Every structure is written in C-alpha cells, then in structure tokens.
Amino acid sequence: MNDRQNIQKLSIHKKAKLLTGSAFWQSAECEEVGMEAVTLSDGPHGLRVQDKMPNHLGLGTSCPSTCFPTAAAMACSWDTELGEELGRHLGAEAAYMGVSMVLGPGLNVKRSPKCGRNFEYFSEDPYLSGKLAAAYVRGIQANGTASCIKHFAVNSRERARMVYDCRVDEQTLRETYLTGFEIAVKEGRPAAVMTAYNKVNGEYCNSSKRLVTDILRTEWGFDGLVVSDWGGTYDKVASVKAGVDLEMPRCYFSAKEVEEAVMDGRLDENLVDESIYRQLSFSRAVRSAAVKDVDWFAHSSFARRCAENSLVLLKNDGGALPLSFSERVALIGDFARTPRYQGAGSSLVNPTFVDNILGAMGKSPLNFIGFEQGFKRKGEENQKLLNRALKLAERADTIVLCLGLPEGMELESADRTHLSLPENQLNLLNALSALGKKIVAVLSCGGVVDMNWDEKCSAVIHAYLSGQSGGGAVVKALTGEINPSGRLAETFPLKEEDVSCHEIYNKYPYKMDYAEGIYVGYKYYNALEVPVKYPFGYGLSYTTFSYTDAKAQRDGVAVTVTNTGSRDGATVVQMYVKAPRPELERSPAELKGFKKVFLQAGQSERVFIPFDEYTFRVWNARGACWSEGGTYLVSLGENSRSMFFHTIVGRGGAVTADRPPQSYGEYFACRISPEQPKRQLKKGDLTADLMTEIYDLKYCKGFVAGLFALISRIYSRSKDELLANSMNHLPIRFILLFMNYKSIQVEGFLEACNGHFLKGIRKIIFKR
Ligand code: BGC
C-alpha cells in the first residue's frame, strides 16, 4: 500500500489531529503512516532553541547559539555567497541542536522605516530581498535542514499585526510584495513557507487559497509545506481549504473543527489527506546530516566576517577614516561597552559570546586614551555622564562616538513612533562637536534613523545590528584592517515626512491602505525626485573604482571595474531597469541585478550581470499577467541615484495599455479609504468572537471579558513593552490555543464574555 492509501485509511478523527503541531516546537507525528515529528525553531540570524517555557516572543531563556548579523545588516553586504555561507552555518547549528527546520529567513518588504521588525528583513526592494533569501535557503538546506521563509505576505507593520487588513492593488501586490517570495521559492526551493498573520484585501493570508494554492503552489510550483505563523490560524476550515498544511503551535480545539466540517460536508476530506501527505513527505525529506559538534569559535569568527562585509561607510570627509595610530582616540557612548547587536522578539538569540567595541579597541594598535559612557541608554538626561565624556574628549584628537537606538525601539509587535535618535544622545553630540575635534560616529540600530546630525561628524559608519562579533568588525574598519564595502539596502530620507506611506502607515489600526502602490523606497524618491539623505545602494570605501567599457549583450550587461585607489576593497555594481512608460505605471529605476566584486589595489575585472526572468517584466493589471514587450532603459550604477551607463533594450511582445498616465498625486489619492466616522465604543457595545482582541474586551458585556480587560490594562502599565503590546493585540483564539479546551468550552468562554455567564460557565465546566 502506498503513502496516500495509508493516509486514506486513517479515521477522520485521527487525520484532523495531524493538521496541528504535536507541541509548541514540534510538527505532528503519526506512527501508522510512518510520520515523525519535526522540531522547528527560530530563526533568521541564529537558533532560539527553548528547553523550557516555550513562547514565540523571545521571552525567557534559550540554548546558546551563534548570533549572526541580522538580515538588515547582512543585506548591506549585497553578497549572496556570504548569505549562503551564513545559511550553511545556521543549518549546521540547527542539526547539532536537533532542529530540523529553521524558521527563517524573513523577507518582508520594508514599506516604512518605522516597522518594528525591519531589522529582521532584508530590504525595501523585493529583488534584493528575494535573491538574499534564496541564498540563505540554499545554505540552510545544504545539509538537509529545512528552511521556512516568512511571512507570506504583505506583512509590513507590527502594530495590530494579527488583525490588520492590507488593501493592496494587484500590480503592487505582484511587483512589490510577492516578487521577493517568488524569487526565494523558485531559486532557493525552501522546504516550507510560513503564512503571515495579517489579511490581504479582506482575507487572512492563512485562509487565502489565492495566495497559498493559486499563486504559491500553482503559479510558482512550490511543492513544500505551508505552515501558519504561531497562533496565526484564524479559521481552521478555511485554512485547510486554502492549502495550509500545518497549524502551529499545537491547538487543542481545531481538530474538532476539521472533523465536524468533514462530517457535515463543508470540507473535502481529500484536502485533509493532501495536507497530511505533504507533511509526511516533508518529515521524510528533512533529515539533517548528523552534526556531532559545532566549532563555536569558528562560527563566531564567521559572524565577524559577515559583519565586516556589511558595515556601511556613510560619510568620510577628508579621509577621516581609517584612523592613524598616532591620533589620540577617545571612545564615548554606551553602545561601545554594551553593544546592540540584535533585535527583540522571536528572533532573540542567546549568543555564545559577545564582543564589544571597547574591548576590541583596547586590543587594537590605536592610540586609545579612554572610554566614557556619555549617556543613559534609555534616554534620561545625565549631566554627570556628559561632563565626564567632555573631559575625556578634551584630551583627544579624535572622538569615536557610539550612538544607536535603545532595545525598546526595535522589536516584534510594536513599531517606532518616530525616526529620531534619543535626544540625550544628540545633546551629547552637540556638546562634543563644540570642542571642534574630529568626530567619528558609529551607529548601532536595525534600520533607518533621521541622520541630520551627521553634519557634526567627519565620518559615520552604520553598523546595523551586526551580531555577536560586530564590535571587532567595527574596530577593524576604524583601523583600516578592513575596508568597508556595505551598501544600503534601504533609503535614508531627509525627514520621515518624505516616506511615501508616511501619512497613511499608521492611520487606521486595523486597515492599511497601500495607496503609495509600487512607489516604495527609492522607487518613490526617484520617481518624484525627492532629495534623500543617503540613497538605496549607497556606501563609501577607502578606495576608489572606475567603470569602463560597459556593453549590453544579448543576455546581460558587462563592464570592466578597476580599483583605482591604493587599498584593496570591494564595490557593488548595480543594474537598474526602467520599463516602458507611460503605457504602464512604472518607477524610473528598479534594481534587476547586482554583483559584488573584490579587487586588490590596481586590479581590474570584467563583471557580467545577466538578465533573468525578472529583468523585463511589468504586471499588467488589465490582462492580469506579466507583460514583457516594450523598450527598456537598462542602467548600471554605483547606487540608485548615481548611474554611469545607460542603454536601451527592446523586448518583443505586446504592451497593453494599463491605465492612462497619472500624476503621483492622483495615483496616491484615489487609493485611500474614506475616513470612517469614529464610533465611540462603550461597555456592552461589542460582541466578542474568537478574533476579538484582548484590548477590546473592555467593550463587551460580560464580567469575564472585564476581567481579561483588567489583566490587559495591568500589562499595559508593565515596563515590558513587548509583552504589553503582544498581550493587548492578541485575538481570543490565540489565548485559548494553548489550553486543552474542547470547542464547546471555547464557545462557553465567548458566551461568558458576552454576558451569558452561567450558560458559558456550564459549557466550560461540564462541556455540554
Ligand atoms: C513570529 C514568527 C516566529 C514565530 C515563532 C511569531 O510571533 O511572527 O516569525 O517564527 O513567532 O516564534
């Protein structure tokens, strides 16, 4: 008997149970069909293997593992080979720790720099995100460990992340929010894809047959496992119908929902069988090669190499860097001693070791004269610390100032409310700059900040959140032992009001209008010629490069790159394409290829950037298909604002007019939902259902709801922002998920929340 027949023979009672995990971090198991449980673990830049208190928020402890640079940092390397190598390291650590599937990488597009989880994602550009994600996947899976890319799809805000609805047009969906996943699926072939918590155009991603079956499986040929995000199954029956195979973590009551739906004909049993079959194939396929030992030291050194290749030199006036060994260097700033090297939430790693700039500088050949903390991490003004820093700085020729965002500003389940650095850090910078000394700023944070303070600095390095060995990498860049080669994977605007979705990003808690459409990041700034602080793709080097003899060929563009300076170094050749206009709505330049090239001083290399299936395509909303035909402008550049070569490439095939050309203003304005009259809810106005957020329970009639609302208020006052936010925005279904309740008890709970206390309690206690 074959696997499918074996599965068919199982009772529906048994089958239904296999569609949810067997524990918090384990998939389902079934002896009868030979399916073993698979252990899953976060995450994207290091393993978070929990032996006690399992949770999806990064709370509590986890076993030590290497904390590699976060995706936001690694994206600045623009180096897919390095990404693949990082993946191999993750895969090996996973195998050693008994984990068969790594929940990562995450590749959501950075629509706004305020998204609390941007540090976990690669870029504002889907092509770069997709290529890097595919590389990670290939690496992770090289030894048989599975990779699960996430969060599919259009997940770009943390506030109310489990419930909001993204209103997005088809062209934007395809080009901006799905292309990265398409590339990762086709080129990385991940074993699994995780659905996002949010809704897209009114439908939860987890219940979307269109996203999961029609697009992911049928159009892109994905044949692996589709997993829910943790607690992100909202309607179990719709989820199975959509083609989602596994609900995580274990849910005690959803099996009953599946069983009942099959029994009364609402759900086709074949769909259940297919999901089990895919799980079975998955559990057999993911068998990591045995890894008996991990060389933690070597992994930590590799993490440093990743950081070295990701540092972005944003400014270097008059060759302020690298530092000479004679100048007296004062090191100032809390981040030099207590590094920020990762973000908070489910990706939180318990590192095997953490270095810092202070320690590394002490061991370097620099003329290091001392360290001062300078400011309090959480923003409190402290005159004493500031005075001490000034006193030290007076004795120095050069101040290395370590600035950054505090931990609470970049985390899962909350977004930033502004892009500024804490005021006390800027006050310190102002005071130091009055001394007239050379200031070199090192920035530690997971993304974009307002950078207008950099006028007071001679040089700036953006270190991002560069993992457990990032401190050493920064000092190597300061001394010139390495030459920074990172390029920004996101634009730094002059001010936050310039971000294309600025006005609408946070307008409604539960609805997000993607009115800016395809105009995200540099595509917007370039289209409207908005001046920016630092463009997408930008980064300096201690050497210089020239680009000559660029030529378009049938299958790509070639150029000779020469290192014309006196130091070895790397640059990134970037290929941008502008599709026909005005027949189709286009941005003036879209990244469609890139190549990082390392050259010794004086060395030249012919670099070739091939065209691929994504180079010449535009989503044609009228025809609901990709169209290729037209005349494309292909450019090579050092960044999205500086091109050194242009050529025209014609492609055959019809161009179907999509819509009349519009100004950006018209394009934008017609896509914002009309303002809803605000309804002031009072107690008793709301009827709780499984999707009601804990925060809203205060509007329900019942005493039980009031009790939960009270607990939520207490949490809101707690100092732990992560916990408070997560608790308040959890739907009721999520809370019940972890309890061994029967569906009748869940029903009873809702009735109790809605004021039918006795009826509800009877169902909860007597289960009838
Ligand atoms: C996150 C996922 C993560 C999961 C398990 C969720 O809250 O959104 O990215 O993999 O928890 O920790």
Side-chain angles (χ1 to χ4, degrees):
M1 216 180 292
N2 66 27
D3 289 335
R4 282 204 159 85
Q5 288 164 331
N6 279 335
I7 292 169
Q8 271 168 14
K9 271 183 31 202
L10 298 173
S11 69
I12 182 60
H13 183 69
K14 176 87 199 183
K15 287 177 189 175
K17 284 191 173 162
L18 298 179
L19 300 187
T20 176
S22 57
F24 200 89
W25 296 118
Q26 259 88 36
S27 67
E29 59 188 328
C30 176
E31 241 176 67
E32 291 94 312
V33 296
M35 183 163 93
E36 285 176 30
V38 169
T39 301
L40 327 170
S41 168
D42 288 306
H45 52 262
L47 275 298
R48 186 171 68 95
V49 179
Q50 295 191 298
D51 41 9
K52 33 185 175 309
M53 243 190 74
N55 67 78
H56 67 298
L57 296 173
L59 305 171
T61 56
S62 61
C63 308
S65 68
T66 311
C67 181
F68 297 98
T70 55
M74 278 300 284
C76 299
S77 74
W78 289 60
D79 189 339
T80 49
E81 277 165 34
L82 193 66
E84 190 165 332
E85 221 176 315
L86 189 154
R88 276 199 293 276
H89 282 75
L90 275 178
E93 289 192 22
Y96 173 73
M97 294 166 102
V99 169
S100 299
M101 178 152 91
V102 174
L103 301 173
L107 64 145
N108 295 95
V109 163
K110 300 182 196 195
R111 178 182 178 221
S112 160
K114 287 186 185 161
C115 173
R117 235 175 148 178
N118 274 359
F119 69 89
E120 272 192 72
Y121 303 140
F122 294 108
S123 175
E124 67 188 21
D125 181 84
Y127 186 86
L128 182 59
S129 303
K131 292 283 173 178
L132 286 165
Y136 269 54
V137 172
R138 286 193 296 270
I140 294 171
Q141 298 195 157
N143 73 340
T145 303
S147 157
C148 177
I149 61 172
K150 63 192 187 183
H151 309 87
F152 185 63
V154 206
N155 179 291
S156 60
R157 199 184 71 188
E158 285 302 292
R159 178 181 177 208
R161 65 179 175 149
M162 292 196 163
V163 283
Y164 63 71
D165 183 12
C166 305
R167 302 295 174 124
V168 57
D169 69 86
E170 191 64 16
Q171 184 191 0
T172 305
L173 178 69
R174 294 288 183 153
E175 293 184 6
T176 309
Y177 296 99
L178 295 186
T179 291
F181 283 96
E182 181 181 354
I183 296 173
V185 164
K186 289 182 177 168
E187 298 182 8
R189 305 189 59 80
V193 173
M194 183 191 289
T195 55
Y197 283 128
N198 51 284
K199 291 181 193 163
V200 172
N201 295 330
E203 190 173 44
Y204 279 109
C205 294
N206 186 265
S207 305
S208 173
K209 175 173 172 293
R210 171 142 205 272
L211 283 175
V212 175
T213 297
D214 302 347
I215 296 180
L216 174 66
R217 293 195 196 279
T218 313
E219 275 185 41
W220 301 346
F222 175 74
D223 59 0
L225 192 77
V226 179
V227 187
S228 74
D229 197 346
W230 264 236
T233 305
Y234 304 94
D235 176 339
K236 181 66 185 177
V237 176
S239 168
V240 179
K241 282 187 183 166
V244 177
D245 306 309
L246 179 64
E247 172 180 11
M248 287 303 290
R250 177 179 191 167
C251 173
Y252 285 95
F253 56 84
S254 66
K256 182 90 176 137
E257 294 170 6
V258 170
E259 198 179 333
E260 280 171 6
V262 169
M263 300 305 278
D264 64 26
R266 279 178 296 125
L267 178 63
D268 179 354
E269 192 166 349
N270 289 323
L271 293 177
V272 175
D273 291 1
E274 264 317 288
S275 273
I276 298 173
Y277 179 73
R278 284 193 290 258
Q279 278 199 56
L280 176 61
S281 317
F282 165 80
S283 80
R284 289 208 182 120
V286 293
R287 286 287 157 257
S288 319
V291 173
K292 291 212 180 67
D293 207 2
V294 168
D295 183 343
W296 298 106
F297 182 76
H299 279 221
S300 204
S301 305
F302 172 72
R304 175 164 309 124
R305 181 147 77 79
C306 292
E308 287 168 10
N309 284 283
S310 307
L311 299 174
V312 190
L313 181 63
L314 291 176
K315 183 172 180 180
N316 195 16
D317 286 355
L321 286 178
L323 301 174
S324 70
F325 299 157
S326 55
E327 59 198 296
R328 283 163 303 173
V329 179
L331 180 63
I332 296 176
D334 193 45
F335 294 93
R337 186 173 54 193
T338 311
R340 253 209 83 210
Y341 56 97
Q342 64 173 334
S346 62
S347 67
L348 193 85
V349 175
N350 174 12
T352 54
F353 150 93
V354 184
D355 76 356
N356 61 25
I357 296 178
L358 176 57
M361 192 175 278
K363 289 188 215 128
S364 77
L366 291 173
N367 184 0
F368 170 48
I369 61 161
F371 163 76
E372 280 298 339
Q373 183 185 342
F375 53 83
K376 288 265 187 192
R377 184 77 149 230
K378 290 197 171 151
E380 315 89 289
E381 290 296 345
N382 189 308
Q383 196 58 39
K384 213 161 120 199
L385 290 181
L386 191 137
N387 291 343
R388 289 177 63 125
L390 285 172
K391 208 160 153 210
L392 171 67
E394 271 163 14
R395 291 194 287 120
D397 302 310
T398 297
I399 301 156
V400 172
L401 179 61
C402 297
L403 304 172
L405 290 176
E407 281 74 1
M409 284 181 83
E410 289 175 299
L411 40 87
E412 189 167 330
S413 86
D415 304 299
R416 274 191 275 164
T417 51
H418 58 79
L419 296 183
S420 305
L421 285 180
E423 190 103 358
N424 63 343
Q425 295 186 33
L426 299 177
N427 290 342
L428 172 66
L429 170 61
N430 287 339
L432 290 170
S433 107
L435 299 177
K437 313 249 169 167
K438 169 165 135 187
I439 300 180
V440 173
V442 177
L443 189 59
S444 300
C445 64
V448 171
V449 289
D450 180 304
M451 294 283 302
N452 291 313
W453 47 263
D454 76 349
E455 279 142 26
K456 304 202 167 67
C457 307
S458 305
V460 179
I461 294 179
H462 197 331
Y464 273 83
L465 300 177
S466 51
Q468 66 180 48
S469 310
V474 167
V475 173
K476 282 186 173 185
L478 295 174
T479 61
E481 191 180 337
I482 59 148
N483 185 350
S485 61
R487 300 288 183 267
L488 292 177
E490 57 193 336
T491 311
F492 280 56
L494 275 173
K495 49 186 191 314
E496 64 178 81
E497 292 76 19
D498 289 345
V499 175
S500 59
C501 64
H502 172 72
E503 278 170 41
I504 43 172
Y505 183 63
N506 228 342
K507 190 165 179 187
Y508 303 113
Y510 303 141
K511 188 169 52 163
M512 301 241 282
D513 288 320
Y514 282 61
E516 75 287 359
I518 57 170
Y519 298 103
V520 174
Y522 69 93
K523 294 175 187 166
Y524 166 76
Y525 301 112
N526 282 11
L528 271 81
E529 294 172 9
V530 179
V532 300
K533 183 78 192 172
Y534 294 118
F536 174 82
Y538 168 87
L540 301 173
S541 166
Y542 297 154
T543 187
T544 47
F545 298 93
S546 74
Y547 307 88
T548 49
D549 292 330
K551 273 198 187 61
Q553 302 173 1
R554 201 182 42 82
D555 51 352
V557 186
V559 63
T560 301
V561 187
T562 307
N563 180 343
T564 48
S566 54
R567 282 175 183 269
D568 301 349
T571 187
V572 180
V573 184
Q574 303 167 28
M575 181 174 79
Y576 292 88
V577 170
K578 181 192 172 191
R581 206 187 149 95
E583 292 87 358
L584 299 168
E585 200 64 53
R586 295 316 309 151
S587 135
E590 287 175 58
L591 182 77
K592 295 291 180 145
F594 59 92
K595 177 99 184 118
K596 187 161 193 176
V597 45
F598 175 84
L599 296 167
Q600 286 167 357
Q603 194 191 352
S604 288
E605 194 176 306
R606 191 86 181 140
V607 171
F608 178 70
I609 303 185
F611 300 145
D612 61 21
E613 69 169 289
Y614 309 99
T615 316
F616 304 110
R617 68 174 205 178
V618 179
W619 183 259
N620 185 316
R622 188 165 297 171
C625 61
W626 293 105
S627 54
E628 261 221 357
T631 309
Y632 291 78
L633 178 70
V634 176
S635 310
L636 293 183
E638 281 193 292
N639 65 61
S640 59
R641 282 271 164 115
S642 154
M643 308 291 167
F644 53 80
F645 172 74
H646 298 283
T647 186
I648 301 283
V649 177
R651 306 295 286 192
V655 189
T656 321
D658 192 17
R659 61 168 77 86
Q662 281 172 308
S663 72
Y664 176 76
E666 287 163 348
Y667 177 84
F668 185 86
C670 67
R671 295 143 160 262
I672 303 185
S673 305
E675 193 85 42
Q676 301 292 324
K678 284 211 175 59
R679 187 169 153 229
Q680 216 49 57
L681 287 177
K682 297 186 304 303
K683 186 155 179 67
D685 278 355
L686 198 75
T687 305
D689 61 26
L690 280 179
M691 292 319 297
T692 305
E693 289 190 6
I694 303 299
Y695 180 79
D696 284 338
L697 281 177
K698 57 181 179 242
Y699 303 121
C700 299
K701 212 164 158 192
F703 151 78
V704 175
L707 194 68
F708 266 78
L710 181 71
I711 298 174
S712 123
R713 274 209 297 282
I714 294 172
Y715 265 113
S716 302
R717 272 187 241 123
S718 108
K719 289 220 168 56
D720 192 333
E721 213 178 326
L722 172 65
L723 201 60
N725 268 301
S726 304
M727 276 300 291
N728 285 336
H729 290 293
L730 288 180
I732 294 179
R733 187 181 194 280
F734 189 89
I735 304 277
L736 301 180
L737 190 78
F738 303 104
M739 303 172 193
N740 200 353
Y741 285 142
K742 300 248 175 298
S743 44
I744 180 98
Q745 292 174 297
V746 174
E747 214 177 285
F749 178 78
L750 290 177
E751 283 177 8
C753 285
N754 290 327
H756 308 290
F757 184 73
L758 290 177
K759 216 164 131 198
I761 291 296
R762 202 188 63 225
K763 286 188 179 169
I764 294 173
I765 298 176
F766 302 109
K767 300 177 196 153
R768 62 188 155 79

